[in-house]
Amino acid sequence: MRRYPVPLGFVFRSRAKEEKAAVADKAPLTDSKQTRDPQAPKGRPTPKRSEAQSQRRSVANTSMTRKEAAKRQREERRAALDRQRQALATGDERYLPARDKGPVRKLARDFIDSRFNIAEFFLPMAVVILVLSMVRVPALQTIALLLWLVVIVLIVLDSFVTGYRLKKRLAERFPDDNKRGAVAYALMRSLQMRRLRLPKPQVKRGERP
């Protein structure tokens, strides 16, 4: 009797594959056109092509406007400096530098600007003394040295009196405000010539601030 060979694949076929195929056959078919549940893990529908293109354009425009943003910052900084420069000339408190702001600093400036200060003539006198000291005449050089000592002593005495009176005035006018550094700020201002002071003087000489 003739025997036909039996395929080995049929004999050794994996049952696991058969079970998986059966489960796949029983699984319900899903409609690919069915709308996605909003609560699904994706959470949002796929954007349309036009929306995606607009989003890409917005990102590209954002990256292109960095130069414009830097230019705008430079313009704002320049405008702030211009306002500060005008405030130094007019005394506008809104745009003054931080070291010049406040009623305490304003009173200190007005107190110095309302009186004559020996220290404000220091630079002109220093030039005169320097010229006299360069002349090769012993008498003039001696006079220049004595004059230099007199100027230094007068500036120290005047600054001491000015600081004491200003400190007393600030204590009377602003007893509860912070007055730290106001006297030193005023004495540094007294060393400058009146026409070169910034902020510009807002009171006349002899006027009580």
Side-chain angles (χ1 to χ4, degrees):
M1 185 175 178
R2 192 174 180 179
R3 297 181 179 180
Y4 294 94
V6 180
L8 296 178
F10 177 80
V11 177
F12 296 101
R13 187 176 183 181
S14 174
R15 294 183 60 188
K17 293 182 179 180
E18 295 177 356
E19 293 176 357
K20 291 180 180 179
V23 173
D25 294 338
K26 294 179 181 180
L29 296 176
T30 58
D31 187 6
S32 60
K33 297 181 179 180
Q34 183 180 358
T35 58
R36 190 178 185 88
D37 185 2
Q39 301 298 329
K42 188 173 182 181
R44 55 183 172 80
T46 303
K48 298 180 181 180
R49 177 178 295 180
S50 59
E51 296 177 356
Q53 290 177 353
S54 64
Q55 291 177 358
R56 285 195 296 269
R57 290 196 197 98
S58 64
V59 173
N61 292 335
T62 302
S63 61
M64 290 295 291
T65 56
R66 290 179 180 176
K67 293 183 179 179
E68 296 179 359
K71 182 179 179 181
R72 189 179 302 111
Q73 289 180 355
R74 289 194 299 269
E75 292 176 354
E76 292 176 355
R77 192 181 302 112
R78 190 179 300 111
L81 291 176
D82 291 339
R83 289 194 299 266
Q84 187 179 102
R85 192 178 300 109
Q86 293 177 1
L88 290 173
T90 60
D92 191 349
E93 286 282 336
R94 296 175 298 173
Y95 305 114
L96 286 176
R99 69 182 184 88
D100 298 316
K101 281 186 176 180
V104 174
R105 296 300 174 99
K106 185 178 186 307
L107 178 60
R109 292 195 302 271
D110 293 344
F111 185 86
I112 294 298
D113 296 337
S114 63
R115 61 191 302 272
F116 282 95
N117 303 278
I118 298 176
E120 67 181 286
F121 302 104
F122 172 76
L123 288 178
M125 288 187 293
V127 172
V128 173
I129 293 171
L130 180 62
V131 171
L132 291 177
S133 63
M134 293 178 63
V135 178
R136 295 184 179 181
V137 178
L140 292 179
Q141 292 180 347
T142 303
I143 293 173
L145 179 60
L146 293 176
L147 186 60
W148 179 257
L149 293 176
V150 170
V151 169
I152 295 298
V153 171
L154 290 177
I155 289 176
V156 171
L157 292 177
D158 184 63
S159 298
F160 178 79
V161 174
T162 301
Y164 176 78
R165 294 177 59 187
L166 176 59
K167 188 175 181 179
K168 184 177 179 181
R169 181 74 60 83
L170 291 173
E172 295 175 354
R173 189 78 61 86
F174 307 104
D176 300 327
D177 293 351
N178 183 15
K179 297 175 285 294
R180 183 178 180 181
V183 174
Y185 170 78
L187 293 179
M188 289 297 297
R189 184 176 177 86
S190 68
L191 289 171
Q192 301 172 351
M193 299 179 66
R194 182 182 174 87
R195 67 180 62 184
L196 301 178
R197 293 172 184 170
L198 291 175
K200 293 291 185 181
Q202 302 297 315
V203 295
K204 297 179 180 179
R205 293 189 189 273
E207 182 179 353
R208 183 179 176 85

